[in-house]
């Protein structure tokens, strides 16, 4: 297991600052986002259940982490979160949900991460921050980059049904999503 795949001890947990309180019930805007698996994806047009987990940025094994990464609440853990969604992908699909990851990294960067981590679902690029702006998603700045704060949305027919924010620890997020889907009897088939 690489240094990126495990969470270091003593990470500062993010607090709920209310930055996502406005999201439940919102319809996603019609916006095509580049995907690591090919054609762009418009999340607003997808029928059925969709799980969208937004994360700051995945690291690369041969590159240093951004400045003070481990002390920014909620920053560390993108690779463990993505790996957890990978490991629970079959269960999420059985619950009727498709999965997407979302970050402000460009598609080439995301494609490397998706391949290295063997992700069975697409990562979507919001490099232009269009979706983040349209939904007023919380962001932060580090080393000149605008990054998304970690938030997970469960959508039904393009409308936000459930918001997980703050997400901590990130490696438990996929299990939390599965538990919520089970509690809310969300086993509708995706067309």
């Amino acid at each position: 297991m690489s240094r990126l795949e495990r969470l270091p001890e003593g990470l500062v947990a993010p607090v709920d600052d209310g930055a996502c309180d406005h999201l439940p019930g919102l319809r996603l805007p019609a916006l095509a986002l580049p995907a690591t698996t090919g054609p762009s994806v418009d999340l607003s047009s997808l029928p059925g259940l969709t799980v969208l987990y937004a994360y700051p940025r995945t690291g690369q094994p041969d590159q240093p982490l951004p400045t003070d990464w481990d002390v920014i609440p909620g920053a560390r853990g993108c690779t463990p979160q993505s790996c957890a969604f990978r490991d629970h992908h079959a269960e999420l699909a059985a619950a009727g949900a498709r999965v997407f990851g979302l970050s402000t990294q460009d598609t080439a960067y995301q494609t490397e991460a998706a391949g290295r981590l063997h992700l069975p679902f697409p990562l979507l690029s919001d490099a232009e921050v269009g979706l983040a702006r349209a939904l007023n998603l919380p962001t932060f700045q580090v080393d000149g980059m605008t990054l998304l704060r970690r938030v997970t949305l469960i959508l039904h027919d393009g409308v936000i049904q459930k918001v997980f924010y703050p997400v901590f620890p990130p490696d438990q997020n996929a299990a939390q999503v599965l538990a919520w889907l089970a509690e809310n009897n969300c086993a509708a088939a995706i067309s």
Side-chain angles (χ1 to χ4, degrees):
M1 184 179 294
S2 78
R3 69 180 171 88
L4 298 175
E5 292 180 49
R6 62 182 173 274
L7 293 171
E9 291 186 30
L11 286 178
V12 178
V15 297
D16 189 348
D17 57 5
C20 291
D21 290 353
H22 65 287
L23 292 173
L26 285 183
R27 171 167 285 290
L28 266 65
L31 182 64
L33 296 169
T36 55
T37 55
S40 294
V41 174
D42 178 355
L43 295 165
S44 73
S45 69
L46 298 178
L49 287 172
T50 301
V51 174
L52 176 67
Y53 71 97
Y55 59 93
R57 63 180 283 116
T58 52
Q60 292 180 320
D62 60 343
Q63 299 295 316
L65 294 171
T67 304
D68 295 327
W69 198 240
D70 286 354
V71 298
I72 300 169
R76 183 71 182 260
C78 303
T79 298
Q81 183 182 26
S82 293
C83 290
F85 275 102
R86 174 199 66 204
D87 295 346
H88 289 291
H89 186 258
E91 295 163 271
L92 288 159
R98 65 178 64 77
V99 176
F100 295 95
L102 175 76
S103 77
T104 59
Q105 294 167 291
D106 65 39
T107 305
Y109 191 110
Q110 290 178 328
T111 298
E112 183 281 328
R116 177 172 34 87
L117 300 175
H118 307 287
L119 301 181
F121 51 82
L123 298 178
L124 305 178
S125 175
D126 194 21
E128 302 299 320
V129 202
L131 184 63
R133 282 193 196 112
L135 293 177
N136 196 23
L137 294 177
T139 60
F140 67 102
Q141 301 282 325
V142 66
D143 294 346
M145 299 177 285
T146 298
L147 304 176
L148 298 169
R149 291 204 180 273
R150 194 179 313 282
V151 58
T152 299
L153 308 175
I154 298 179
L155 315 171
H156 186 265
D157 295 340
V159 176
I160 299 170
Q161 302 297 309
K162 172 68 177 164
V163 177
F164 293 87
Y165 178 83
V167 172
F168 192 82
D171 60 346
Q172 298 301 308
N173 187 216
Q176 294 164 342
V177 167
L178 274 169
W180 187 89
L181 291 172
E183 289 168 13
N184 290 278
N185 297 315
C186 296
I190 295 175
S191 14

